[in-house]
Amino acid sequence: IMTLYDRSKLDVEVTLEELQKKLLPEDNLLIFYAGHGIMDMESDIGYWLLSDATRSRVTWLSNSTITDFIKSCKARHILLIADACYSGSIYTSRGMYDDASTAILDLIKSKSRKAITSGGTTQVADESKFAEVLVEQLRINTEQYLRSLDLYNLVQKPVMANSMTSPRWGPISNVGDDNGDFVFILK
């Protein structure tokens, strides 16, 4: 587990580069980002605004940097969970599966590049109902194998009912998704 709080764009880029070198094809990777985001409407590109962000795009972490990392990463399953304004702009075996169904095994075998975002291409509230519901659903989960799609389905309705945002789930475009899914395994 790597935790980065209040880090700069360079810190995050260096960490992604280190991860890229370490991850193996049998690994899973979960990236959770909670913070500020912005959309450059002229270029139609979304960005994460890290601790060193200024008014200049040079200091913003672009979605393309994140998707380039995901595309080049060797991990079999990657799930990006992003809780930020405009986060939806990202779209455009070791014995632990012995009791898994055939459908789960098929999802695990196939490469996945999915994202769950707190909203689409609009602003979201600083007080995040998305993060609250996400953490609570993971905490109370009793499913042995929880697909990212199932997690999204557990999060979507309560967030929409209690905030002005509409979470999204789907494959990240042009990064090698092969219809697999990230599967959380209950300890």
Side-chain angles (χ1 to χ4, degrees), residues 6-21:
D6 296 322
R7 296 313 259 290
S8 70
K9 175 186 175 191
L10 181 61
D11 290 336
V12 172
E13 291 173 332
V14 167
T15 301
L16 292 176
E17 184 177 358
E18 290 170 0
L19 274 173
Q20 184 179 16
K21 293 174 185 173

Side-chain angles (χ1 to χ4, degrees), residues 50-179:
L50 301 165
S51 66
D52 62 339
T54 66
R55 292 188 181 268
S56 171
R57 268 184 278 166
V58 174
T59 64
W60 305 346
L61 185 66
S62 71
N63 279 348
S64 60
T65 298
I66 302 302
T67 57
D68 286 349
F69 162 74
I70 290 170
K71 186 175 187 176
S72 64
C73 200
K74 293 178 190 149
R76 180 176 311 250
H77 301 287
I78 298 173
L79 176 62
L80 170 68
I81 300 177
D83 184 11
C85 295
Y86 307 102
S87 56
S89 63
I90 195 82
Y91 292 110
T92 17
S93 248
R94 291 172 283 187
M96 61 180 70
Y97 307 114
D98 292 344
D99 59 347
S101 69
T102 304
I104 291 292
L105 290 173
D106 186 50
L107 289 174
I108 291 168
K109 282 192 287 186
S110 300
K111 204 175 193 182
S112 69
R113 301 292 189 258
K114 304 287 194 281
I116 299 174
T117 61
S118 59
T121 55
T122 60
Q123 291 184 359
V124 296
D126 285 342
E127 295 297 319
S128 177
K129 190 66 175 174
F130 174 80
E132 178 186 323
V133 172
L134 176 72
V135 169
E136 179 64 11
Q137 289 301 326
L138 287 169
R139 189 184 68 72
I140 66 172
N141 174 56
T142 59
E143 293 292 322
Q144 180 67 34
Y145 300 100
L146 180 67
R147 302 174 310 151
S148 70
L149 176 58
D150 296 328
L151 175 61
Y152 163 75
N153 287 331
L154 293 170
V155 169
Q156 181 193 31
K157 287 181 184 177
V159 170
M160 288 176 63
N162 294 289
S163 71
M164 300 297 289
T165 61
S166 176
R168 307 283 169 87
W169 174 93
I172 300 170
S173 299
N174 302 314
V175 294
D177 184 81
D178 195 24
N179 293 319

